[in-house]
Amino acid sequence: MNEAVTGRAAVWGLIHRGVAFFAHPFVRFLVGRGIFYLLAIVAGFTMTFFIPRLMPGNPVDMMLRPAPAGLPGLGGGTAPAIGRAGDFARIRAALEEFFGFDKPLPVQYLAFWQKLFRGDLGPSFAFNMRPVLEIVSRALLFTLVLVLPVLLISFYVGNAIGAAAAVSQRWTSSLVYYSSLFFAHMPFYWFAMILSYLLALKAGWFPFYGWHSPELLPNWSPGFVLNVARHYALPFLALLIGSIGTWTVGMWSMMLYEMRSDYILYCQQLGFRRRTLKKYAKRNAMLPQYTGFNLVLSGLIGQTVITEVVFGWPGLGSLGYKAILSRDYPLLMGTFLVTVVVVLVGNFLMDIFYGLIDPRIRTGYVERS
Amino acid sequence: MWRRLLQDGQFLLALSVVGLIVLAGVVGPRFVRNPHAFVWLPNQPPSRQFPLGTDPFGRDVLARLVVGIRTSLFVGVYAGLIGVALGVTIGLISGYLKGIVGETLNLFTNLVMVFPVLPVLIILAAIFERRSLLLVGTIIGVVSWPWAARCIRAQVLSLREREFVRLARISGDRSVKIAFLEIMPYMLAYIVMVFVLMLGGAIGAEAGISMIGLGPTDAVSLGNLLFWAMVHEATRVGHWWTFLPPGLVLTLLTVFSLIMHKRMDQIFNPRLRTW
């Protein structure tokens, strides 16, 4: 009897704790954001499913377009013209059956999700029918190696430069601002071409293309790693300088805004040193910069994708470019899906991080819209 | 307020740079050689006769640049108009209508906004074998509206509590009429600013997809010039005149339209006004 009562109390206690856990504003915030991003992923995947199917013709027609000469692909340049007249139609029908385009749309949609859950993104034509997922994962690694350091370093350096330039009253300060504006809004891939011209052609410091010299085989020897690092330098610099510009511009305007605010003016009246004022203003100006992470990540991914193509860095961008050139439809879709997932996961992580550092969200004082 | 804008030095500088580029794009093509014709030896550096040299097909780079500016501007304006129309409509409705419609539209806006623009553009453009200017413009416009919708919505949320809107509501006007005829005219200056920003963004987006060979297939654009410079390995052979000018024009156009936007914001936005 007594045991039953304590047992029931324990269960109630657990339920209470569970309810309290989900009632906590920060947990509610997390769950809300989680559901939102899940919805976004479902929406994005559904879009990649429907768009090609709602277009005139279907992906098979796109795959069968002749690919530019010299590139692998099902179109294979003149392949349909060589065979007998009926061959083309037979190939087309076989491909439609292989991808299931002959089945009704709802059945295709279910099969699409079933395959996704198994991690099956289909085979790639341009890579000898190897699984798309395998090819894309390798490319993802190369893209992240480029994007993550750029994102973190540019955040730190850009904010430091922006804060310093905004409070300094020397003429260099507006020079910093306008050149940052230029760097932030130039196409990074164009800057990449300029760097390639100046540092690879004129100075000869770095190689033009690829991720390692063609005569070397990939291994972990110091010589090879150094070789990769030299190939890495130019795309990294191009993206880094542009991103630093982006953060500097944002930080500059936030600092100017904070330096005009009442608490700073008051401290100024009290005779605080400039360095102290700057420190106080910077802490508040940083907060909106963290929310900028999501936007910068989206933009940076776009710029990275193209910059990779300029330098032949084998990331998601080069892969997508190859997929487009060789009409490799499953590969293109796979690349796109992975890119979207990376951006969405990045956004989610940033939201969590922001929730942790902003006391207003952590304690549920306001909900972030 | 407009007079104040015309006395602003930064705004005037930005306006004249953007104006010069627009002028080059609009009337320039009348004064240059045929951009598609073989006119001189290929790969010649800039000279008096050919101020920007020739490309690997012996075409005049200056002529191609000027025509490229025209194309990019056209795509930018067209996509900007579509983007602004979508953004304003969705922003107005989601801001003015409370309840399920407004919330759903707001959720939709936020959903579209988390997707990276360029990959989405790539996937949309890759579907089409031939892409006309209008098609590329439409795709860009359809993708780039969410931030505009969010800005407009924020404005509407505050405007909808004003007296004149209440008055219209009391006199029995329909919501759609109030949103478009009472609130929208109030934001015209703001909408112009959104358009200026959208224009720069759309030109950049066009350059981005052109750069990987997915731009308009029937025209020369700034991104297209960069694409061919990349394909012909202009950096490796040192033909700087084929890739430096298009990117520079692109950047100047974006930066100075942004400065224009900033100055206008400073003058039209009462919260930022310093005078």
Side-chain angles (χ1 to χ4, degrees):
Chain A
M1 174 79 187
N2 214 1
E3 270 172 24
V5 168
T6 46
R8 205 184 288 166
V11 171
W12 273 117
L14 264 182
I15 292 176
H16 253 274
R17 224 182 287 164
V19 170
F21 178 72
F22 280 104
H24 189 280
F26 187 59
V27 177
R28 278 219 319 262
F29 163 78
L30 282 189
V31 172
R33 294 316 289 170
I35 293 176
F36 174 77
Y37 285 113
L38 268 183
L39 205 62
I41 285 187
V42 172
F45 283 20
T46 303
M47 191 186 82
T48 59
F49 172 80
F50 276 107
I51 285 178
R53 286 170 175 81
L54 294 180
M55 294 297 151
N58 62 32
V60 168
D61 290 317
M62 187 183 147
M63 295 170 207
L64 288 175
R65 278 178 213 154
L71 280 153
L74 268 196
T78 52
I82 298 171
R84 290 186 304 274
D87 285 356
F88 187 68
R90 280 222 328 272
I91 293 172
R92 194 173 179 285
L95 275 175
E96 275 187 4
E97 201 194 329
F98 180 71
F99 286 102
F101 290 127
D102 50 347
K103 299 197 180 66
L105 215 55
V107 177
Q108 288 186 37
Y109 188 60
L110 279 182
F112 168 77
W113 277 104
Q114 224 171 18
K115 278 189 170 176
L116 275 182
F117 276 118
R118 273 188 270 135
D120 178 6
L121 295 175
S124 158
F125 309 135
F127 289 86
N128 295 326
M129 303 307 255
R130 268 168 53 204
V132 166
L133 191 70
E134 183 192 314
I135 303 163
V136 173
S137 328
R138 178 173 175 274
L140 174 65
L141 188 72
F142 276 96
T143 296
L144 288 183
V145 161
L146 210 49
V147 168
L148 289 182
V150 165
L151 203 59
L152 296 177
I153 298 176
S154 67
F155 181 75
Y156 187 78
V157 177
N159 282 328
I161 296 179
V167 289
S168 131
Q169 275 144 348
R170 267 170 295 173
W171 62 274
T172 44
S173 134
S174 45
L175 181 74
V176 167
Y177 177 69
Y178 285 104
S179 48
S180 301
L181 204 60
F182 185 89
F183 286 136
H185 292 280
M186 68 189 177
F188 294 0
Y189 45 87
W190 169 68
F191 188 60
M193 293 173 94
I194 291 178
L195 283 186
S196 169
Y197 174 76
L198 291 178
L199 300 184
L201 181 74
K202 290 286 162 188
W205 294 342
F206 301 107
F208 287 98
Y209 200 80
W211 69 284
H212 64 83
S213 301
E215 69 274 11
L216 299 175
L217 283 175
N219 58 52
W220 285 106
S221 71
F224 185 78
V225 171
L226 190 72
N227 187 268
V228 173
R230 279 177 34 135
H231 284 81
Y232 177 78
L234 281 185
F236 174 73
L237 269 184
L239 295 172
L240 183 72
I241 293 176
S243 305
I244 288 179
T246 313
W247 291 116
T248 305
V249 169
M251 191 61 182
W252 162 286
S253 8
M254 281 320 298
M255 274 303 265
L256 283 192
Y257 180 79
E258 287 295 330
M259 291 301 277
R260 277 207 307 266
S261 62
D262 291 338
Y263 71 96
I264 291 288
L265 293 179
Y266 178 65
C267 291
Q268 213 164 13
Q269 298 292 315
L270 291 180
F272 280 34
R273 266 183 310 178
R274 233 185 140 62
R275 250 194 28 225
T276 322
L277 289 180
K278 185 192 146 191
K279 208 174 78 189
Y280 287 176
K282 194 179 169 185
R283 279 197 71 151
N284 280 313
M286 281 298 278
L287 216 48
Q289 287 292 84
Y290 285 109
T291 56
F293 245 111
N294 292 353
L295 227 63
V296 171
L297 177 66
S298 291
L300 184 62
I301 286 277
Q303 299 275 4
T304 307
V305 161
I306 309 180
T307 306
E308 279 174 3
V309 177
V310 172
F311 289 111
W313 185 257
L316 291 170
S318 295
L319 198 63
Y321 182 63
K322 194 166 184 180
I324 292 164
L325 286 183
S326 43
R327 315 286 188 237
D328 189 341
Y329 200 77
L331 184 61
L332 183 62
M333 279 302 160
T335 313
F336 176 73
L337 288 183
V338 170
T339 312
V340 165
V341 169
V342 166
V343 171
L344 292 182
V345 167
N347 279 347
F348 187 42
L349 290 180
M350 266 326 291
D351 280 357
I352 296 175
F353 180 66
Y354 190 74
L356 286 175
I357 56 165
D358 187 346
R360 289 171 301 182
I361 295 180
R362 196 169 55 221
T363 56
Y365 179 64
V366 284
E367 280 208 22
R368 204 177 140 217
S369 59
Chain B
M1 272 198 275
W2 290 99
R3 183 180 297 166
R4 202 160 188 108
L5 196 61
L6 292 179
Q7 286 165 354
D8 188 289
Q10 274 192 37
F11 178 79
L12 287 182
L13 174 71
L15 187 69
S16 38
V17 173
V18 172
L20 268 179
I21 295 176
V22 171
L23 199 71
V26 174
V27 299
R30 290 168 184 276
F31 298 104
V32 293
R33 299 182 183 84
N34 180 356
H36 307 295
F38 182 95
V39 289
W40 187 237
L41 296 172
N43 296 326
Q44 293 304 304
S47 59
R48 184 167 300 185
Q49 202 186 354
F50 296 91
L52 290 178
T54 58
D55 74 354
F57 294 108
R59 296 174 298 196
D60 183 1
V61 175
L62 179 68
R64 294 175 71 72
L65 181 73
V66 166
V67 173
I69 292 175
R70 183 176 65 184
T71 311
S72 289
L73 281 176
F74 178 80
V75 173
V77 169
Y78 185 73
L81 286 178
I82 292 180
V84 164
L86 281 173
V88 166
T89 311
I90 293 174
L92 269 177
I93 297 175
S94 75
Y96 188 73
L97 291 182
K98 280 186 173 166
I100 189 94
V101 180
E103 283 305 314
T104 314
L105 274 179
N106 189 32
L107 178 70
F108 180 60
T109 309
N110 286 340
L111 273 182
V112 179
M113 203 151 104
V114 290
F115 287 98
V117 173
L118 205 80
V120 173
L121 283 177
I122 291 173
I123 218 78
L124 288 178
I127 294 168
F128 300 95
E129 174 76 332
R130 276 175 226 293
R131 294 169 295 270
S132 66
L133 277 185
L134 290 184
L135 178 70
V136 172
T138 311
I139 292 176
I140 294 173
V142 163
V143 170
S144 55
W145 58 268
W147 66 267
R150 253 173 83 140
C151 296
I152 298 282
R153 178 172 182 268
Q155 299 264 316
V156 175
L157 282 181
S158 82
L159 280 175
R160 72 190 302 280
E161 305 303 331
R162 297 275 186 89
E163 291 299 325
F164 69 96
V165 178
R166 281 201 197 144
L167 208 61
R169 219 175 297 158
I170 292 168
S171 48
D173 282 349
R174 283 170 50 224
S175 300
V176 179
K177 196 177 159 193
I178 298 176
F180 282 92
L181 294 183
E182 301 287 342
I183 297 183
M184 198 175 82
Y186 214 82
M187 301 190 301
L188 266 184
Y190 193 75
I191 292 173
V192 171
M193 278 159 38
V194 167
F195 175 74
V196 170
L197 216 57
M198 192 82 97
L199 180 78
I203 289 175
E206 190 277 329
I209 53 172
S210 290
M211 184 68 185
I212 34 182
L214 288 175
T217 43
D218 58 354
V220 179
S221 74
L222 292 175
N224 198 269
L225 292 176
L226 286 175
F227 171 67
W228 285 111
M230 177 180 77
V231 170
H232 291 132
E233 302 194 316
T235 64
R236 199 189 285 247
V237 288
H239 297 158
W240 55 268
W241 56 90
T242 56
F243 63 84
L244 186 71
L248 195 63
V249 170
L250 267 173
T251 313
L252 290 180
L253 202 56
T254 328
V255 166
F256 282 103
S257 63
L258 194 79
I259 292 178
M260 261 168 75
H261 169 93
K262 270 231 162 82
R263 299 313 295 176
M264 283 163 84
D265 201 23
Q266 213 112 76
I267 285 165
F268 291 125
N269 191 342
R271 277 171 58 196
L272 294 176
R273 207 173 288 159
T274 42
W275 38 282

